[in-house]
Amino acid sequence: VKSYRIYINGKTTPIEGGASIPLIVPIKAPDNANGVAYESVAIAATQASSNQAVFPSEPFKVAIASAFDVALNKSVTSDASALSPGDEVTFRVDAANTGQGLSANTKVLEKLPDGVTFVKSESFMCPTGYVSGTPDACEAGAAAGTYDANSGVWTIGDLTAGSHASLYVTVRLNDGTDGKTITNNVEFKDLPPYDVNLNNNKASTSITVKHRLAGKVYFDKNDSSSYTAGEEGFNGVTVNLVDAAGAVVATTTTDADGNYSFAKLGAGTYTVKVVKDGAIKDMDQTEDPDGTKDNASGKISIGADNPTQTGVNFGYNPNNIIKGSVYRDDNRSSSLNSGEEGYEGQTLSLIHI
């Protein structure tokens, strides 16, 4: 606590009634000051005519808050150009403080969005180097507090003037996120009311998961022209993905259950084509996505309104032939012998049991 006494000699030149004397007293808070300081002023005087003391005025106070400016930046540090469910993504949050005031007990709310699962996190504190604008990454130094993935709160602690910290959070994309845009928001939590700029207290970044197209190549045992649970898939069948220009953009083979999948696809129009070879070479096609039974699906469009297309199935059934003769068994041998004549124009029925 410091006090100053200012003496004005009014005997030589008395201060007239109604006159005022401005006093300008610059006050500078020390670096990393925290909280509110109060400046109080009281006035005492003596009447020039009677030399009688005048009772001092009631002191009045001026509150001076120690201001600071904290800022946030949000980005993605891992490759997010071709994401699919199961991939890992690392988000980076940068928090910084400019100005002379201390940002005490600083907390950041980094609540993970739907569609991701927390994997790990690490943080770093850089004691100096931040001036203004968008905070840079802090990639070395001591740990910058703690991060609770359940609550999403990053408790940094004290951010001194000019210091900044970075938090790296790695997540895994959940199943069902194909084609979705996932936005990660971040903001300061429970800041004291002395931040001079509130426009830089929030940040966000987004990632977009690529689209997926999938189906099955199977043995249509009951010849129903649609997949029935329990019907076996054909393993090792080659499946091509063709774009709108007719070019093959991806090739895969079916797994042991006959399943195939094309992931990391951009929005667009595609056609799935099955190479009729191997186990299905001599079979008849029973199910075709567009009904043409030409081993191709027809055009399939995927995008924001249709991020994932599954169930693009192809069914096949053996092309079996039953043939024989209706003949006169002249020698009653119960088998056709050379020279025995056949009966022309006979009607036969085939019964499926």
Side-chain angles (χ1 to χ4, degrees):
V1 177
K2 292 185 178 181
S3 63
Y4 299 90
R5 183 175 183 179
I6 301 174
Y7 178 75
I8 301 174
N9 187 354
K11 290 185 177 182
T12 303
T13 306
I15 301 173
E16 300 293 334
S20 63
I21 300 176
L23 298 177
I24 301 175
V25 182
I27 298 175
K28 180 182 181 298
D31 288 345
N32 295 316
N34 180 33
V36 178
Y38 292 92
E39 175 71 12
S40 62
V41 178
I43 300 175
T46 301
Q47 286 185 339
S49 59
S50 63
N51 202 32
Q52 295 292 318
V54 177
F55 288 111
S57 65
E58 181 70 21
F60 60 90
K61 294 181 179 181
V62 177
I64 303 173
S66 178
F68 56 87
D69 180 21
V70 287
L72 283 173
N73 184 46
K74 187 67 180 285
S75 59
V76 178
T77 62
S78 56
D79 183 7
S81 60
L83 296 173
S84 64
D87 289 346
E88 292 188 356
V89 179
T90 299
F91 294 105
R92 189 186 82 205
V93 182
D94 305 309
N97 176 25
T98 185
Q100 295 178 344
L102 173 73
S103 177
N105 193 27
T106 309
K107 296 180 181 180
V108 174
L109 182 60
E110 161 66 338
K111 189 70 173 176
L112 297 179
D114 293 337
V116 303
T117 299
F118 175 76
V119 176
K120 63 180 181 179
S121 67
E122 61 178 343
S123 62
F124 302 99
M125 177 68 78
C126 290
T128 59
Y130 175 63
V131 179
S132 64
T134 302
D136 294 326
C138 182
E139 299 177 340
T146 59
Y147 175 69
D148 184 344
N150 293 321
S151 65
V153 176
W154 175 26
T155 303
I156 302 174
D158 293 345
L159 268 180
T160 57
S163 67
H164 60 294
S166 293
L167 171 69
Y168 296 82
V169 179
T170 300
V171 300
R172 182 176 295 108
L173 297 175
N174 296 343
D175 291 340
T177 54
D178 307 89
K180 293 183 178 180
T181 296
I182 299 174
T183 299
N184 191 194
N185 299 309
V186 62
E187 61 182 335
F188 284 109
K189 177 179 173 61
D190 302 330
L191 278 179
Y194 313 125
D195 187 1
V196 297
N197 181 10
L198 301 180
N199 294 325
N200 55 9
N201 288 0
K202 297 180 179 181
S204 66
T205 190
S206 298
I207 57 173
T208 299
V209 186
K210 292 295 186 179
H211 303 279
R212 184 171 68 94
L213 197 156
K216 179 186 287 286
V217 181
Y218 67 97
F219 172 41
D220 191 5
K221 185 177 181 180
N222 60 5
D223 201 21
S224 64
S225 298
S226 63
Y227 176 71
T228 303
E231 290 182 326
E232 296 181 1
F234 290 109
N235 184 22
V237 176
T238 300
V239 184
N240 292 323
L241 185 68
V242 180
D243 64 13
V248 176
V249 294
T251 298
T252 188
T253 56
T254 56
D255 63 15
D257 295 319
N259 298 315
Y260 71 89
S261 179
F262 295 103
K264 302 181 185 294
L265 300 177
T269 300
Y270 300 92
T271 300
V272 178
K273 293 188 175 182
V274 173
V275 177
K276 199 167 184 286
D277 200 359
I280 64 173
K281 180 178 181 180
D282 297 321
M283 292 189 175
D284 289 335
Q285 186 176 4
T286 58
E287 181 182 4
D288 188 284
D290 66 351
T292 58
K293 297 184 180 181
D294 59 352
N295 307 298
S297 66
K299 295 181 178 180
I300 300 173
S301 294
I302 53 177
D305 295 332
N306 184 34
T308 304
Q309 183 68 53
T310 59
V312 185
N313 298 335
F314 298 83
Y316 293 89
N317 203 312
N319 183 14
N320 295 319
I321 299 175
I322 300 175
K323 63 180 181 178
S325 299
V326 179
Y327 65 96
R328 177 174 175 170
D329 191 6
D330 289 332
N331 60 3
R332 299 181 181 274
S333 64
S334 300
S335 62
L336 177 63
N337 296 307
S338 178
E340 291 182 328
E341 296 181 0
Y343 290 112
E344 183 179 357
Q346 301 300 307
T347 300
L348 295 89
S349 298
L350 182 64
I351 300 174
H352 182 248
I353 300 176

